[in-house]
């Protein structure tokens, strides 16, 4: 497997820093806390740690409103703490990935403060400013993804500025070469400090229509959806010029050796494929989010796997994501039994998997009382299910203390006490043990890392496929239903099953039993 890049061989683990480990008792996770938990990640079996934003920020959107791209928010520590974290991670063999948030800054970033100071300021064109419409209203009909108009009136300079998200998050003007150079300097700042790659926030939104034309109405809009879905995002996302930016980022990372560029991109598969670029000059991995919103149905997922792999350009490397900080947790979406099946699915599909912290112990969405809601997405559009607090609750390390081993203070969000790492680590049948076994098997079996994926099929509630690499041949079967099923297989041996006691069982040629909610990996 040595011919593959580290990010092709490895498994990425996403940490939401506010919620992983608090070291100082303020109820908010920090870098020093994360550093103390790195050994746990090594024992789990992951290869890279991706941190959601840790930059200085007013926290209007919990760090996605960046006030300084080249520093650490005191909430999380200092640059010295970051160095200690990165050095320790590298010492343990873990790669370090950072979130890069280039679409917008905080309105308190010095760049924007200069930009809004006057129309003549040299940084005025670093952001998107427009005159009012003839009636004095916003320049066009573009809508914020956080509700309401995407245009905010600035009375002193008598123009509107554009914000795809909160008004505290003005969008940068990526058509300005000075902005591009400044952001390139940001990448270099962190690359010089040993960062192994970046996950680029909302990569597909970076460029907007140069003529600022209205977005057309979405005739398929349904009541209860987010307000911005009323319009098709024709002129505010996935513009052709964005690919030049991706190539530029790729070129900068290439100067530093084997660094990985990952793009957050919520687009249909045909459009997603364009972000790989031509012959490897785009993103290494445009995130494949299909499993986040998929119906938990064997036929649907079989079609998804086939279509995605068929669409990949020849030079492209696939990837799969089961959970993240913006979507309900898999154990809440599919239930605790099927969350185990989902773990087998994620870690046996072809491509690089990304795990979300806590999914390895089956954490579910937290219960957030109305008076403890933190997320601006929910506060601005209550009642439509956009709040992301439930999937961001603190890591559950133990159930024997009020702070669940996460903090000695009051946690920033309520912590569920239904399970924990401590409860599961010595239980051979636990979710944590399943993940450890899966990750160990993945790292030791070339078919699961570099093998082809073949014979993807669905038979009722059962999804099956094979992974092949030279003389290695694995058969994966997943019962995504609530009833016992049968599966046709070749003679072989079960290497791993979610059903206790089945590891090592023989498969017979022909019909084999598959318990309700069981998944197995077999050598055939």
């Amino acid at each position: 497997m040595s011919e593959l890049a580290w990010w092709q061989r490895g498994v990425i683990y996403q940490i939401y820093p506010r919620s992983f480990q608090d070291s100082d008792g303020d109820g908010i996770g920090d870098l020093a806390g994360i550093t103390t938990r790195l050994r746990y990640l090594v024992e789990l079996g992951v290869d890279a740690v991706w941190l959601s934003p840790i930059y200085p920020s007013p926290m209007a959107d919990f760090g996605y409103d960046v006030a300084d791209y080249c520093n650490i928010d005191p909430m999380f520590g200092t640059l010295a703490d970051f160095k200690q974290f990165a050095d320790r991670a590298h010492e343990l063999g873990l790669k370090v990935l950072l979130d890069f948030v280039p679409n917008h800054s905080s309105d308190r970033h010095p760049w924007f403060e200069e930009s809004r100071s006057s129309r003549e300021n040299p940084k005025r064109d670093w952001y998107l400013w427009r005159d009012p419409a003839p009636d004095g209203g916003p320049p066009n009909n573009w809508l914020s993804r956080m509700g309401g108009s995407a245009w905010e009136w600035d009375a002193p300079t008598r123009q509107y500025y554009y914000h795809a998200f909160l008004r505290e998050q003005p969008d940068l003007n990526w058509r300005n070469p000075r902005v591009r150079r400044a952001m390139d300097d940001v990448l270099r700042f962190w690359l010089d400090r040993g960062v192994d790659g970046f996950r680029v926030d909302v990569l597909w939104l970076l460029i907007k229509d140069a003529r600022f034309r209205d977005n057309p109405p979405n005739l398929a809009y349904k009541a209860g959806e987010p307000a911005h879905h009323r319009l098709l995002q024709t002129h505010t996302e996935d513009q052709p010029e964005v690919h030049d930016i991706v190539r530029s980022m790729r070129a900068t990372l290439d100067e530093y050796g084997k660094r990985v560029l990952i793009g957050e991109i919520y687009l249909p598969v045909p459009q997603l494929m364009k972000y790989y670029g031509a012959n490897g000059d785009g993103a290494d991995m445009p995130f494949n989010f299909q499993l986040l919103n998929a119906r938990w149905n064997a036929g649907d997922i079989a079609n998804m796997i086939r279509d995605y792999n068929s669409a990949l350009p020849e030079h492209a490397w696939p990837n799969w994501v089961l959970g993240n900080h913006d979507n309900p947790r898999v154990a809440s979406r599919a239930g605790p039994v099927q969350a185990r099946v989902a773990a087998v699915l994620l870690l046996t599909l072809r491509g690089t998997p990304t795990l979300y912290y806590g999914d390895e112990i089956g954490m579910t969405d937290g219960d957030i009382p109305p008076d403890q809601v933190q997320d601006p997405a929910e506060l601005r559009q209550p009642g439509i299910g956009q709040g992301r607090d439930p999937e961001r609750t603190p890591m559950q390390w133990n159930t024997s203390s009020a702070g669940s081993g996460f903090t000695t203070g009051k946690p920033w969000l309520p912590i569920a006490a239904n399970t924990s790492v401590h409860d599961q680590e010595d239980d051979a049948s636990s979710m944590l043990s399943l993940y450890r076994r899966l990750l160990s098997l993945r790292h030791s079996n070339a078919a699961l890392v570099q093998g082809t994926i073949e014979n993807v099929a669905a038979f009722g509630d059962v999804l099956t496929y094979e992974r092949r690499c030279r003389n290695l041949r694995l058969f994966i079967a997943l019962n995504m239903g609530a009833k016992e099923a049968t599966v046709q297989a070749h003679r072989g041996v079960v290497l791993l099953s979610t059903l206790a006691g089945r590891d090592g069982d023989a498969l017979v040629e022909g019909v084999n039993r598959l318990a309700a909610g069981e998944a197995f990996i077999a050598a055939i």
Side-chain angles (χ1 to χ4, degrees):
M1 293 188 278
S2 60
E3 64 268 27
L4 296 178
W6 65 262
W7 50 267
Q8 294 172 312
R9 299 190 304 271
V11 175
I12 299 169
Y13 186 93
Q14 181 191 358
I15 287 176
Y16 194 66
R18 296 177 69 93
S19 294
F20 201 63
Q21 182 64 60
D22 172 25
S23 70
D24 58 12
D26 66 355
I28 297 172
D30 47 47
L31 284 167
I34 295 170
T35 303
T36 67
R37 295 294 187 179
L38 290 175
R39 174 63 67 179
Y40 164 79
L41 299 181
V42 173
E43 293 171 354
L44 177 62
V46 299
D47 303 274
V49 180
W50 154 34
L51 300 183
S52 293
I54 51 175
Y55 312 107
S57 168
M59 299 293 164
D61 191 20
F62 298 113
Y64 285 95
D65 49 319
V66 179
D68 182 351
Y69 286 98
C70 297
N71 213 331
I72 304 295
D73 193 286
M75 177 184 297
F76 301 120
T78 64
L79 282 171
D81 291 324
F82 177 78
K83 183 179 188 305
Q84 185 177 12
F85 156 74
D87 287 349
R88 180 59 176 157
H90 289 146
E91 179 184 311
L92 292 170
L94 296 168
K95 302 294 186 181
V96 174
L97 309 181
L98 289 185
D99 238 303
F100 179 44
V101 189
N103 179 71
H104 47 266
S105 75
S106 166
D107 61 350
R108 299 189 199 174
H109 194 292
W111 296 346
F112 187 71
E113 290 178 340
E114 286 189 53
S115 183
R116 79 186 311 175
S117 65
S118 76
R119 292 197 187 194
E120 290 72 39
N121 188 278
K123 286 191 171 62
R124 184 67 170 185
D125 193 41
W126 283 44
Y127 295 83
L128 298 171
W129 293 94
R130 300 292 289 175
D131 288 330
D135 63 359
N140 61 27
N141 71 347
W142 295 355
L143 296 173
S144 165
R145 291 167 183 264
M146 295 291 196
S149 173
W151 294 98
E152 182 71 13
W153 176 245
D154 182 65
T157 59
R158 303 195 64 75
Q159 279 190 318
Y160 286 88
Y161 67 85
Y162 175 75
H163 55 93
F165 295 92
L166 297 173
R167 65 184 179 186
E168 295 89 352
Q169 296 170 288
D171 279 41
L172 284 148
N173 177 15
W174 273 84
R175 295 183 184 277
N176 185 331
R178 291 176 296 170
V179 170
R180 295 194 185 194
R181 287 195 294 270
M183 284 301 193
D184 192 59
D185 288 343
V186 171
L187 292 175
R188 293 178 187 279
F189 177 89
W190 294 107
L191 290 165
D192 288 341
R193 281 156 181 79
V195 169
D196 299 291
F198 300 90
R199 173 267 195 188
V200 185
D201 186 58
V202 297
L203 181 60
W204 84 111
L205 302 184
L206 292 188
I207 290 282
K208 289 76 179 175
D209 180 50
R211 293 162 57 188
F212 293 90
R213 289 171 288 183
D214 278 357
N215 276 328
N218 177 11
L219 301 181
Y221 175 79
K222 297 178 182 178
E225 293 182 40
H228 74 278
H229 286 186
R230 295 178 184 275
L231 302 176
L232 299 175
Q233 304 302 306
T234 306
H235 301 302
T236 46
E237 64 178 42
D238 195 32
Q239 302 300 294
E241 300 94 329
V242 74
H243 298 290
D244 180 57
I245 297 171
V246 180
R247 283 190 293 272
S248 177
M249 291 180 183
R250 169 78 274 148
T252 297
L253 267 63
D254 284 346
E255 295 174 21
Y256 288 79
K258 294 181 179 179
R259 311 300 169 98
V260 67
L261 183 66
I262 303 170
E264 182 197 27
I265 304 162
Y266 285 91
L267 287 173
V269 168
Q271 292 164 265
L272 183 69
M273 294 299 110
K274 298 177 183 177
Y275 286 80
Y276 280 106
N279 301 315
D281 63 352
D284 292 304
M285 293 189 293
F287 260 151
N288 171 20
F289 293 129
Q290 294 181 89
L291 289 176
L292 294 177
N293 298 304
R295 285 201 318 147
W296 201 245
N297 173 280
D300 287 358
I301 292 180
N303 289 333
M304 178 188 300
I305 296 168
R306 286 191 293 261
D307 292 347
Y308 175 72
N309 281 285
S310 297
L312 286 165
E314 186 175 348
H315 64 274
W317 184 256
N319 69 93
W320 295 88
V321 179
L322 196 59
N324 67 19
H325 61 295
D326 286 333
N327 291 275
R329 285 188 176 271
V330 63
S332 291
R333 300 196 311 266
V337 173
Q338 288 298 324
R340 298 169 69 88
V341 176
V344 177
L345 175 69
L346 177 71
L347 292 170
T348 59
L349 288 172
R350 178 174 175 263
T352 300
T354 296
L355 308 183
Y356 185 50
Y357 83 95
D359 280 355
E360 75 275 14
I361 60 170
M363 279 178 60
T364 54
D365 292 342
D367 183 15
I368 312 298
D371 63 345
Q372 295 186 50
V373 170
Q374 303 283 338
D375 186 14
E378 177 67 16
L379 293 172
R380 286 174 62 100
Q381 301 182 89
I384 65 169
Q386 291 296 294
R388 299 163 295 181
D389 291 335
E391 58 263 27
R392 298 177 176 184
T393 56
M395 183 68 174
Q396 297 159 202
W397 295 104
N398 65 56
T399 52
S400 60
S401 64
S404 296
F406 163 71
T407 184
T408 57
K410 180 182 179 181
W412 78 285
L413 281 174
I415 305 176
N418 55 337
T419 190
S420 73
V421 172
H422 181 264
D423 293 339
Q424 295 189 25
E425 58 188 352
D426 295 325
D427 179 358
S429 65
S430 70
M431 177 75 92
L432 179 58
S433 293
L434 173 63
Y435 265 94
R436 286 174 173 169
R437 290 161 55 216
L438 280 165
L439 286 161
S440 176
L441 179 60
R442 180 182 176 86
H443 284 307
S444 64
N445 196 300
L448 289 175
V449 177
Q450 65 186 37
T452 59
I453 186 166
E454 302 174 9
N455 300 324
V456 180
F459 305 94
D461 289 328
V462 176
L463 171 66
T464 63
Y465 48 91
E466 294 181 19
R467 299 296 308 277
R468 295 194 189 195
C469 181
R470 295 184 287 275
N471 62 335
L472 297 173
R473 184 180 177 191
L474 301 181
F475 176 71
I476 294 93
L478 307 101
N479 187 347
M480 304 176 76
K483 297 179 180 179
E484 182 176 304
T486 57
V487 62
Q488 291 280 339
H490 294 294
R491 183 176 291 108
V493 61
V494 174
L495 301 178
L496 182 150
S497 171
T498 58
L499 187 66
R502 192 168 186 188
D503 292 10
D505 281 4
L507 288 188
V508 300
E509 188 77 25
V511 177
N512 290 262
R513 180 181 62 85
L514 196 60
E518 180 187 3
F520 68 69
I521 305 166
I524 58 173

